[in-house]
Structure formats: C-alpha cells, structure tokens
Amino acid sequence: MREVTVSRVVDASPDDVWARFDPPMIVEAEGSFTVENIEDEGEATIVVASGPGIRLPLRFEYRDETIYYTQEGEQGPFSHMETWLECEPADGGTRVTLRSSVSLSAPLPFGDRIAAWKRKGELKRALEEIESAFA
C-alpha cells in the first residue's frame, strides 16, 4: 500500500470550498470517472462512478471537517483506496489537502507504485479544479 498527498492554498474560505465541492463534484474533479448514480445512506453518500470498462461505488462520509471516501466492495482498480479531503484556513484563503492510500488489485510488479502515481495525478487534477473554481 502507498500513500500520496497533495496540498494547495486556494482563494476561498473553507465554507465556500465545502459548499462547492460535494461528493459528485469531487469525483468529476478528479477526472478519471463520471458520476453514474448518487445514493444517500444516512450519514454516507454513495457515488457510483464509471469509466472505460469500470463501474465502482465510492462511499463518502463527513468526519470532523474532513470528507473521507473509500472504494466500496471488490469492484474497481484498487484492492484498497481511501482518501481524505481537508480544508483549513491559511494565508488569507484555505489550504486544501487531499491524502490517499491505495493498493492495486492486480498482481503486477510495482503495482502499488503505479496505483499511487495514478492516484496522485487524480488528486492534482482535483486541486486544480478546486483552485480554478475560485479564481
């Protein structure tokens, strides 16, 4: 398993970031999948995402000023994937940090490194989308 982290200060308040980037918007901002379906399950939101040949449910929960989400079930490219999106006031704006822990489901040499590299690209795209939303 590998962990990747990306962070950036954006010109918005934490409340503005939370209001604008709900679970479906986060999936779209990452750029690899499109949102197929959204289901509310009490304290969690399940976003069913799809891409070429892949359909996977992502479970989102709000936890103490953090959005936490994970790939649910056995479907999808990862045997394990969990991500935290955190916002905190910083430098007249908000420091947005995305941290993800991943493990590839395929038994490839260096598979977890490949998964981490791919995941880091998705998190960077999400940060770019968040930043551009407030530019």
Side-chain angles (χ1 to χ4, degrees), residues 7-56:
S7 185
R8 183 175 297 175
V9 175
V10 299
D11 189 21
S13 72
D15 288 341
D16 289 341
V17 175
W18 292 128
R20 184 100 180 239
F21 286 89
D22 61 357
M25 291 293 292
I26 293 167
V27 171
E28 294 286 346
E30 288 180 5
S32 291
F33 300 102
T34 57
V35 174
E36 190 174 292
N37 191 29
I38 303 162
E39 302 169 15
D40 285 322
E41 289 190 356
E43 298 204 9
T45 300
I46 308 300
V47 176
V48 178
S50 64
I54 296 176
R55 185 175 186 268
L56 68 145

Side-chain angles (χ1 to χ4, degrees), residues 70-104:
T70 187
Q71 175 183 300
E72 252 195 354
E74 301 293 318
Q75 304 169 8
F78 305 114
S79 61
H80 173 87
M81 188 282 293
E82 59 185 342
T83 304
W84 299 262
L85 187 153
E86 302 165 331
C87 294
E88 61 185 14
D91 302 326
T94 298
R95 176 164 301 281
V96 179
T97 301
L98 287 147
R99 180 172 44 99
S100 193
S101 173
V102 295
S103 183
L104 193 63

